[in-house]
Amino acid sequence: MFFFYSASIRAALQQYQTELVPPSENDTEALQDINLWKVQGTFIDSTNILGLVVASIILGIALSSMKSETATVANFFRELNILMMKITRWVIWFSPIGVLFLICAKFIESDNMDVFLRLGVYFGTVLGGILFHGFIVLPIIYYCLTRKNPYLLVRHMGQAIATAFGTSSSSATIPVTLQCLEENHGVDTRITRFMIPIGATINMDGTALYEAVAVLFIAQLRNIPLSFVDILAISITATAASIGAASIPQAGLVTMVMVLDVVGLPPEDVSLIVAVDWLLDRFRTVINVMGDSYGVGIVAHHSKGLLKKLDNDEYSNGINDNNVELRERL
């Protein structure tokens, strides 16, 4: 156990980096032949977010499997989460002032309109990707798995979509989402009451897409080349970070700092996209809610037989119990 904690701390504080070491400068032949260079690995002082996420997932699985034996540790993390949410609310209240100064600083640093033109392209790219995912990809998946019209579900979810756009919070939209699915679309409450709270917490497909595109945009803006491995690491980290993101407005900006750190980009570069994040946050919240609704629709379609069987069993048990009571009275 001590070894696991030590490895977790080291994974959080340091990154393992492989590098090519050239031979001596006097050996010109060896300098030109890359096969003669040495490959060595070193630990550098930098936060390894991907390693920290993996260690946290393993710790969470272990805590959930041990249940009552580690109740004290689990309660500690729950209370720590409540404490951090309280601090986050304070930060959100003061964030408009900080955002104002960050945007002003970027205006002063920029000598031309090139940055703002790129920001417009970034806004269009993210918005196009989010809308394509929500109105093309998700409906295709829904249709392939249910053979039903996906846009009928979108029409039934109109009130929830409007609420998600207005509040920019998946958690605040939960009551409206439940109402739309149960009353408009006719989904069983046993499915909606189980899936929607979980989906609002961990299903952040719009946020994951947004964070990946945002990091690529910042890297291009800084003229930092990214390899295929870097892009793969960004995708994995953005997906993992979006799962842990709180379902509150602009929570993606907090988790994006972790994704930036994976490729060595400075956290303050988040200020480059703050100017348009408030509007993009509303669109990605809509896609998050739509993703939850499509998931509920798919599960409801494939659970009809099971739910009907459960209802028949409960009805039969109820009749048998009544007959037993009647015979005892007689």
PDB file of all heavy atoms in Angstrom, residues 291-318:
ATOM      1  N   GLY A 291     -27.219  13.762 -25.145  1.00  0.00           N
ATOM      2  CA  GLY A 291     -26.546  12.471 -25.035  1.00  0.00           C
ATOM      3  C   GLY A 291     -27.158  11.610 -23.939  1.00  0.00           C
ATOM      4  O   GLY A 291     -27.351  10.400 -24.118  1.00  0.00           O
ATOM      5  N   ASP A 292     -27.472  12.244 -22.789  1.00  0.00           N
ATOM      6  CA  ASP A 292     -28.139  11.509 -21.708  1.00  0.00           C
ATOM      7  C   ASP A 292     -29.495  10.978 -22.177  1.00  0.00           C
ATOM      8  O   ASP A 292     -29.867   9.836 -21.889  1.00  0.00           O
ATOM      9  CB  ASP A 292     -28.340  12.423 -20.487  1.00  0.00           C
ATOM     10  CG  ASP A 292     -27.029  12.942 -19.936  1.00  0.00           C
ATOM     11  OD1 ASP A 292     -25.980  12.337 -20.225  1.00  0.00           O
ATOM     12  OD2 ASP A 292     -27.053  13.959 -19.221  1.00  0.00           O
ATOM     13  N   SER A 293     -30.242  11.813 -22.885  1.00  0.00           N
ATOM     14  CA  SER A 293     -31.590  11.430 -23.332  1.00  0.00           C
ATOM     15  C   SER A 293     -31.541  10.295 -24.346  1.00  0.00           C
ATOM     16  O   SER A 293     -32.354   9.359 -24.287  1.00  0.00           O
ATOM     17  CB  SER A 293     -32.296  12.652 -23.930  1.00  0.00           C
ATOM     18  OG  SER A 293     -32.311  13.731 -23.012  1.00  0.00           O
ATOM     19  N   TYR A 294     -30.599  10.361 -25.291  1.00  0.00           N
ATOM     20  CA  TYR A 294     -30.463   9.272 -26.259  1.00  0.00           C
ATOM     21  C   TYR A 294     -30.085   7.963 -25.564  1.00  0.00           C
ATOM     22  O   TYR A 294     -30.577   6.885 -25.926  1.00  0.00           O
ATOM     23  CB  TYR A 294     -29.412   9.630 -27.309  1.00  0.00           C
ATOM     24  CG  TYR A 294     -29.933  10.520 -28.410  1.00  0.00           C
ATOM     25  CD1 TYR A 294     -29.329  11.745 -28.688  1.00  0.00           C
ATOM     26  CD2 TYR A 294     -31.021  10.135 -29.191  1.00  0.00           C
ATOM     27  CE1 TYR A 294     -29.806  12.567 -29.702  1.00  0.00           C
ATOM     28  CE2 TYR A 294     -31.498  10.947 -30.203  1.00  0.00           C
ATOM     29  CZ  TYR A 294     -30.883  12.171 -30.456  1.00  0.00           C
ATOM     30  OH  TYR A 294     -31.354  12.960 -31.457  1.00  0.00           O
ATOM     31  N   GLY A 295     -29.204   8.054 -24.569  1.00  0.00           N
ATOM     32  CA  GLY A 295     -28.844   6.854 -23.813  1.00  0.00           C
ATOM     33  C   GLY A 295     -30.038   6.247 -23.097  1.00  0.00           C
ATOM     34  O   GLY A 295     -30.231   5.017 -23.102  1.00  0.00           O
ATOM     35  N   VAL A 296     -30.867   7.098 -22.501  1.00  0.00           N
ATOM     36  CA  VAL A 296     -32.077   6.610 -21.827  1.00  0.00           C
ATOM     37  C   VAL A 296     -33.029   5.976 -22.837  1.00  0.00           C
ATOM     38  O   VAL A 296     -33.632   4.923 -22.574  1.00  0.00           O
ATOM     39  CB  VAL A 296     -32.767   7.773 -21.081  1.00  0.00           C
ATOM     40  CG1 VAL A 296     -34.148   7.361 -20.596  1.00  0.00           C
ATOM     41  CG2 VAL A 296     -31.927   8.221 -19.901  1.00  0.00           C
ATOM     42  N   GLY A 297     -33.168   6.605 -24.011  1.00  0.00           N
ATOM     43  CA  GLY A 297     -34.047   6.057 -25.030  1.00  0.00           C
ATOM     44  C   GLY A 297     -33.595   4.683 -25.511  1.00  0.00           C
ATOM     45  O   GLY A 297     -34.420   3.782 -25.726  1.00  0.00           O
ATOM     46  N   ILE A 298     -32.291   4.491 -25.661  1.00  0.00           N
ATOM     47  CA  ILE A 298     -31.765   3.200 -26.112  1.00  0.00           C
ATOM     48  C   ILE A 298     -32.004   2.122 -25.055  1.00  0.00           C
ATOM     49  O   ILE A 298     -32.456   1.008 -25.361  1.00  0.00           O
ATOM     50  CB  ILE A 298     -30.262   3.324 -26.434  1.00  0.00           C
ATOM     51  CG1 ILE A 298     -30.058   4.221 -27.663  1.00  0.00           C
ATOM     52  CG2 ILE A 298     -29.637   1.957 -26.666  1.00  0.00           C
ATOM     53  CD1 ILE A 298     -28.617   4.583 -27.927  1.00  0.00           C
ATOM     54  N   VAL A 299     -31.708   2.452 -23.794  1.00  0.00           N
ATOM     55  CA  VAL A 299     -31.910   1.480 -22.715  1.00  0.00           C
ATOM     56  C   VAL A 299     -33.389   1.153 -22.561  1.00  0.00           C
ATOM     57  O   VAL A 299     -33.768  -0.012 -22.344  1.00  0.00           O
ATOM     58  CB  VAL A 299     -31.323   2.018 -21.394  1.00  0.00           C
ATOM     59  CG1 VAL A 299     -31.672   1.100 -20.240  1.00  0.00           C
ATOM     60  CG2 VAL A 299     -29.807   2.154 -21.499  1.00  0.00           C
ATOM     61  N   ALA A 300     -34.247   2.156 -22.678  1.00  0.00           N
ATOM     62  CA  ALA A 300     -35.692   1.925 -22.550  1.00  0.00           C
ATOM     63  C   ALA A 300     -36.194   0.996 -23.656  1.00  0.00           C
ATOM     64  O   ALA A 300     -37.053   0.133 -23.419  1.00  0.00           O
ATOM     65  CB  ALA A 300     -36.433   3.256 -22.592  1.00  0.00           C
ATOM     66  N   HIS A 301     -35.669   1.164 -24.863  1.00  0.00           N
ATOM     67  CA  HIS A 301     -36.105   0.320 -25.986  1.00  0.00           C
ATOM     68  C   HIS A 301     -35.731  -1.144 -25.761  1.00  0.00           C
ATOM     69  O   HIS A 301     -36.532  -2.040 -26.043  1.00  0.00           O
ATOM     70  CB  HIS A 301     -35.466   0.827 -27.285  1.00  0.00           C
ATOM     71  CG  HIS A 301     -35.724  -0.047 -28.464  1.00  0.00           C
ATOM     72  ND1 HIS A 301     -36.940  -0.079 -29.132  1.00  0.00           N
ATOM     73  CD2 HIS A 301     -34.932  -0.965 -29.110  1.00  0.00           C
ATOM     74  CE1 HIS A 301     -36.879  -0.945 -30.123  1.00  0.00           C
ATOM     75  NE2 HIS A 301     -35.676  -1.497 -30.140  1.00  0.00           N
ATOM     76  N   HIS A 302     -34.534  -1.388 -25.255  1.00  0.00           N
ATOM     77  CA  HIS A 302     -34.077  -2.762 -25.075  1.00  0.00           C
ATOM     78  C   HIS A 302     -34.509  -3.363 -23.733  1.00  0.00           C
ATOM     79  O   HIS A 302     -34.226  -4.538 -23.474  1.00  0.00           O
ATOM     80  CB  HIS A 302     -32.550  -2.815 -25.187  1.00  0.00           C
ATOM     81  CG  HIS A 302     -32.039  -2.546 -26.568  1.00  0.00           C
ATOM     82  ND1 HIS A 302     -32.054  -3.496 -27.569  1.00  0.00           N
ATOM     83  CD2 HIS A 302     -31.520  -1.424 -27.130  1.00  0.00           C
ATOM     84  CE1 HIS A 302     -31.555  -2.979 -28.684  1.00  0.00           C
ATOM     85  NE2 HIS A 302     -31.219  -1.718 -28.446  1.00  0.00           N
ATOM     86  N   SER A 303     -35.157  -2.574 -22.875  1.00  0.00           N
ATOM     87  CA  SER A 303     -35.579  -3.072 -21.560  1.00  0.00           C
ATOM     88  C   SER A 303     -37.088  -3.284 -21.472  1.00  0.00           C
ATOM     89  O   SER A 303     -37.593  -3.588 -20.393  1.00  0.00           O
ATOM     90  CB  SER A 303     -35.144  -2.087 -20.459  1.00  0.00           C
ATOM     91  OG  SER A 303     -33.744  -1.907 -20.475  1.00  0.00           O
ATOM     92  N   LYS A 304     -37.783  -3.101 -22.580  1.00  0.00           N
ATOM     93  CA  LYS A 304     -39.243  -3.233 -22.545  1.00  0.00           C
ATOM     94  C   LYS A 304     -39.673  -4.620 -22.078  1.00  0.00           C
ATOM     95  O   LYS A 304     -40.548  -4.765 -21.221  1.00  0.00           O
ATOM     96  CB  LYS A 304     -39.825  -2.955 -23.935  1.00  0.00           C
ATOM     97  CG  LYS A 304     -39.916  -1.481 -24.274  1.00  0.00           C
ATOM     98  CD  LYS A 304     -40.578  -1.298 -25.635  1.00  0.00           C
ATOM     99  CE  LYS A 304     -40.713   0.181 -25.958  1.00  0.00           C
ATOM    100  NZ  LYS A 304     -41.351   0.394 -27.282  1.00  0.00           N
ATOM    101  N   GLY A 305     -39.074  -5.657 -22.648  1.00  0.00           N
ATOM    102  CA  GLY A 305     -39.438  -7.022 -22.275  1.00  0.00           C
ATOM    103  C   GLY A 305     -39.172  -7.310 -20.818  1.00  0.00           C
ATOM    104  O   GLY A 305     -39.997  -7.918 -20.121  1.00  0.00           O
ATOM    105  N   LEU A 306     -38.019  -6.884 -20.320  1.00  0.00           N
ATOM    106  CA  LEU A 306     -37.655  -7.127 -18.924  1.00  0.00           C
ATOM    107  C   LEU A 306     -38.593  -6.394 -17.973  1.00  0.00           C
ATOM    108  O   LEU A 306     -39.048  -6.958 -16.969  1.00  0.00           O
ATOM    109  CB  LEU A 306     -36.205  -6.694 -18.683  1.00  0.00           C
ATOM    110  CG  LEU A 306     -35.677  -6.851 -17.256  1.00  0.00           C
ATOM    111  CD1 LEU A 306     -35.737  -8.307 -16.821  1.00  0.00           C
ATOM    112  CD2 LEU A 306     -34.257  -6.314 -17.157  1.00  0.00           C
ATOM    113  N   LEU A 307     -38.907  -5.137 -18.284  1.00  0.00           N
ATOM    114  CA  LEU A 307     -39.807  -4.366 -17.431  1.00  0.00           C
ATOM    115  C   LEU A 307     -41.207  -4.972 -17.410  1.00  0.00           C
ATOM    116  O   LEU A 307     -41.865  -5.018 -16.363  1.00  0.00           O
ATOM    117  CB  LEU A 307     -39.868  -2.916 -17.911  1.00  0.00           C
ATOM    118  CG  LEU A 307     -38.584  -2.097 -17.743  1.00  0.00           C
ATOM    119  CD1 LEU A 307     -38.749  -0.719 -18.375  1.00  0.00           C
ATOM    120  CD2 LEU A 307     -38.211  -1.960 -16.279  1.00  0.00           C
ATOM    121  N   LYS A 308     -41.666  -5.444 -18.577  1.00  0.00           N
ATOM    122  CA  LYS A 308     -42.986  -6.069 -18.646  1.00  0.00           C
ATOM    123  C   LYS A 308     -43.012  -7.359 -17.825  1.00  0.00           C
ATOM    124  O   LYS A 308     -44.006  -7.645 -17.118  1.00  0.00           O
ATOM    125  CB  LYS A 308     -43.337  -6.367 -20.101  1.00  0.00           C
ATOM    126  CG  LYS A 308     -44.757  -6.837 -20.298  1.00  0.00           C
ATOM    127  CD  LYS A 308     -45.066  -7.004 -21.786  1.00  0.00           C
ATOM    128  CE  LYS A 308     -46.512  -7.469 -21.987  1.00  0.00           C
ATOM    129  NZ  LYS A 308     -46.833  -7.623 -23.432  1.00  0.00           N
ATOM    130  N   LYS A 309     -41.935  -8.120 -17.882  1.00  0.00           N
ATOM    131  CA  LYS A 309     -41.859  -9.350 -17.099  1.00  0.00           C
ATOM    132  C   LYS A 309     -41.857  -9.043 -15.603  1.00  0.00           C
ATOM    133  O   LYS A 309     -42.527  -9.729 -14.813  1.00  0.00           O
ATOM    134  CB  LYS A 309     -40.592 -10.117 -17.482  1.00  0.00           C
ATOM    135  CG  LYS A 309     -40.436 -11.442 -16.741  1.00  0.00           C
ATOM    136  CD  LYS A 309     -39.160 -12.152 -17.157  1.00  0.00           C
ATOM    137  CE  LYS A 309     -38.983 -13.446 -16.373  1.00  0.00           C
ATOM    138  NZ  LYS A 309     -37.704 -14.127 -16.725  1.00  0.00           N
ATOM    139  N   LEU A 310     -41.110  -8.008 -15.197  1.00  0.00           N
ATOM    140  CA  LEU A 310     -41.092  -7.619 -13.787  1.00  0.00           C
ATOM    141  C   LEU A 310     -42.470  -7.178 -13.314  1.00  0.00           C
ATOM    142  O   LEU A 310     -42.896  -7.520 -12.210  1.00  0.00           O
ATOM    143  CB  LEU A 310     -40.071  -6.497 -13.575  1.00  0.00           C
ATOM    144  CG  LEU A 310     -38.589  -6.866 -13.708  1.00  0.00           C
ATOM    145  CD1 LEU A 310     -37.727  -5.620 -13.621  1.00  0.00           C
ATOM    146  CD2 LEU A 310     -38.195  -7.856 -12.625  1.00  0.00           C
ATOM    147  N   ASP A 311     -43.166  -6.424 -14.159  1.00  0.00           N
ATOM    148  CA  ASP A 311     -44.515  -5.976 -13.799  1.00  0.00           C
ATOM    149  C   ASP A 311     -45.460  -7.161 -13.649  1.00  0.00           C
ATOM    150  O   ASP A 311     -46.280  -7.208 -12.722  1.00  0.00           O
ATOM    151  CB  ASP A 311     -45.046  -5.011 -14.857  1.00  0.00           C
ATOM    152  CG  ASP A 311     -44.309  -3.690 -14.859  1.00  0.00           C
ATOM    153  OD1 ASP A 311     -43.714  -3.347 -13.821  1.00  0.00           O
ATOM    154  OD2 ASP A 311     -44.311  -2.995 -15.901  1.00  0.00           O
ATOM    155  N   ASN A 312     -45.367  -8.136 -14.556  1.00  0.00           N
ATOM    156  CA  ASN A 312     -46.228  -9.323 -14.472  1.00  0.00           C
ATOM    157  C   ASN A 312     -45.922 -10.143 -13.224  1.00  0.00           C
ATOM    158  O   ASN A 312     -46.832 -10.663 -12.569  1.00  0.00           O
ATOM    159  CB  ASN A 312     -46.055 -10.191 -15.720  1.00  0.00           C
ATOM    160  CG  ASN A 312     -46.605  -9.524 -16.967  1.00  0.00           C
ATOM    161  OD1 ASN A 312     -47.487  -8.668 -16.875  1.00  0.00           O
ATOM    162  ND2 ASN A 312     -46.077  -9.900 -18.126  1.00  0.00           N
ATOM    163  N   ASP A 313     -44.625 -10.272 -12.883  1.00  0.00           N
ATOM    164  CA  ASP A 313     -44.246 -11.027 -11.681  1.00  0.00           C
ATOM    165  C   ASP A 313     -44.776 -10.344 -10.425  1.00  0.00           C
ATOM    166  O   ASP A 313     -45.288 -11.005  -9.511  1.00  0.00           O
ATOM    167  CB  ASP A 313     -42.730 -11.166 -11.604  1.00  0.00           C
ATOM    168  CG  ASP A 313     -42.190 -12.081 -12.688  1.00  0.00           C
ATOM    169  OD1 ASP A 313     -42.997 -12.833 -13.273  1.00  0.00           O
ATOM    170  OD2 ASP A 313     -40.970 -12.016 -12.975  1.00  0.00           O
ATOM    171  N   GLU A 314     -44.643  -8.998 -10.379  1.00  0.00           N
ATOM    172  CA  GLU A 314     -45.145  -8.272  -9.213  1.00  0.00           C
ATOM    173  C   GLU A 314     -46.662  -8.403  -9.104  1.00  0.00           C
ATOM    174  O   GLU A 314     -47.219  -8.552  -8.010  1.00  0.00           O
ATOM    175  CB  GLU A 314     -44.743  -6.801  -9.321  1.00  0.00           C
ATOM    176  CG  GLU A 314     -43.250  -6.558  -9.150  1.00  0.00           C
ATOM    177  CD  GLU A 314     -42.893  -5.094  -9.347  1.00  0.00           C
ATOM    178  OE1 GLU A 314     -43.822  -4.283  -9.575  1.00  0.00           O
ATOM    179  OE2 GLU A 314     -41.691  -4.769  -9.253  1.00  0.00           O
ATOM    180  N   TYR A 315     -47.343  -8.359 -10.264  1.00  0.00           N
ATOM    181  CA  TYR A 315     -48.803  -8.490 -10.262  1.00  0.00           C
ATOM    182  C   TYR A 315     -49.218  -9.879  -9.794  1.00  0.00           C
ATOM    183  O   TYR A 315     -50.141 -10.030  -8.986  1.00  0.00           O
ATOM    184  CB  TYR A 315     -49.340  -8.219 -11.666  1.00  0.00           C
ATOM    185  CG  TYR A 315     -50.846  -8.321 -11.782  1.00  0.00           C
ATOM    186  CD1 TYR A 315     -51.681  -7.348 -11.243  1.00  0.00           C
ATOM    187  CD2 TYR A 315     -51.422  -9.418 -12.427  1.00  0.00           C
ATOM    188  CE1 TYR A 315     -53.060  -7.460 -11.349  1.00  0.00           C
ATOM    189  CE2 TYR A 315     -52.792  -9.541 -12.539  1.00  0.00           C
ATOM    190  CZ  TYR A 315     -53.616  -8.553 -12.003  1.00  0.00           C
ATOM    191  OH  TYR A 315     -54.960  -8.654 -12.103  1.00  0.00           O
ATOM    192  N   SER A 316     -48.503 -10.893 -10.278  1.00  0.00           N
ATOM    193  CA  SER A 316     -48.822 -12.272  -9.882  1.00  0.00           C
ATOM    194  C   SER A 316     -48.563 -12.492  -8.400  1.00  0.00           C
ATOM    195  O   SER A 316     -49.360 -13.120  -7.699  1.00  0.00           O
ATOM    196  CB  SER A 316     -47.995 -13.260 -10.706  1.00  0.00           C
ATOM    197  OG  SER A 316     -48.250 -13.100 -12.083  1.00  0.00           O
ATOM    198  N   ASN A 317     -47.458 -11.970  -7.904  1.00  0.00           N
ATOM    199  CA  ASN A 317     -47.149 -12.112  -6.477  1.00  0.00           C
ATOM    200  C   ASN A 317     -48.192 -11.415  -5.628  1.00  0.00           C
ATOM    201  O   ASN A 317     -48.574 -11.891  -4.557  1.00  0.00           O
ATOM    202  CB  ASN A 317     -45.764 -11.547  -6.173  1.00  0.00           C
ATOM    203  CG  ASN A 317     -44.661 -12.383  -6.794  1.00  0.00           C
ATOM    204  OD1 ASN A 317     -44.848 -13.579  -7.033  1.00  0.00           O
ATOM    205  ND2 ASN A 317     -43.518 -11.766  -7.065  1.00  0.00           N
ATOM    206  N   GLY A 318     -48.666 -10.275  -6.102  1.00  0.00           N
ATOM    207  CA  GLY A 318     -49.691  -9.555  -5.357  1.00  0.00           C
ATOM    208  C   GLY A 318     -50.980 -10.338  -5.280  1.00  0.00           C
ATOM    209  O   GLY A 318     -51.632 -10.411  -4.229  1.00  0.00           O
TER     210      GLY A 318
END
